[in-house]
Amino acid sequence: MADNFLSPDSAPADALWVERVGAREYVGHNDRGATVRFAGAGVEGAFTPGELLKLSAAACTGLVTDRALARRVGDDYAAQVHVSGVKNDEENRYSTIDEKLVVDLSGLDEEARERLVTLLHKTIEGQCTVGRTIEAGANVSADIVDPA
C-alpha cells in the first residue's frame, strides 16, 4: 500500500497531494517540500479548504499585479489583498468571492493612477488562473483507488 502514497522524496514534478494526519485533519504537500494544514472549521492552526480557495484567489491577484505595481510605485511597495466570500448554504458553495487590493498609489498623478487601475483590472481578469477558473467553473472528478 505504501507504494501508492507520495512523499516529498518520491513525488514526480508538479505533484500535489493531501495526507490524513488525524480526524478531519489533513496536510497538503507539493513536490518542493511546502506544506499547509487543513481541518474542519474551528481547528486552531489550520485552514479550511474554503479559506484556502479564497486565499488562492487573493494570492493570484497579488502575484499577477506585482510587476505592474513594482514598475510604477517602486519595488518596495506594500500591498495586501483582502478577501471574503458569501456562502450559499443551500447549495454548499460560495456565491461570490470579493477581493480588495490595498496599495498606496498616492505617488502617482490622477491620470497615471487611472491608467494603472485599468491595467490592474485587465491583468487580474486576463491572467489570474484561479479567478478565471472559479468564474468559468471547472469540472472536478474523483477516482477512488484501493491499493490492495
Side-chain angles (χ1 to χ4, degrees):
M1 181 159 127
D3 292 343
N4 292 305
F5 282 81
L6 295 174
S7 73
D9 295 331
S10 69
D14 297 328
L16 298 170
W17 69 98
V18 295
E19 177 175 18
R20 186 175 192 265
V21 295
R24 294 186 44 80
E25 291 188 42
Y26 286 76
V27 173
H29 300 268
N30 69 19
D31 65 309
R32 298 178 312 279
T35 61
V36 64
R37 188 168 165 234
F38 294 84
V43 175
E44 290 295 318
F47 292 100
T48 68
E51 289 170 333
L52 281 173
L53 173 74
K54 291 179 278 187
L55 285 172
S56 292
C60 194
T61 291
L63 288 168
V64 301
T65 59
D66 196 79
R67 286 188 182 144
L69 283 164
R71 276 195 302 264
R72 287 159 182 86
V73 298
D75 286 331
D76 61 346
Y77 76 93
Q80 289 185 343
V81 182
H82 301 177
V83 62
S84 62
V86 175
K87 189 169 182 186
N88 179 328
D89 288 321
E90 288 181 15
E91 296 181 14
N92 195 29
R93 67 177 189 88
Y94 294 101
S95 55
T96 62
I97 295 175
D98 298 308
E99 300 175 346
K100 291 181 183 173
L101 174 56
V102 180
V103 61
D104 182 1
L105 303 178
S106 64
L108 302 175
D109 64 42
E110 188 62 30
E111 184 179 325
R113 184 187 177 286
E114 287 178 18
R115 281 195 316 269
L116 178 56
V117 167
T118 298
L119 173 65
L120 295 175
H121 280 291
K122 287 180 182 178
T123 300
I124 294 164
E125 291 166 7
Q127 295 182 18
C128 182
T129 304
V130 176
R132 291 172 57 79
T133 300
I134 291 168
E135 287 179 1
N139 295 325
V140 179
S141 65
D143 292 331
I144 310 303
V145 177
D146 181 355

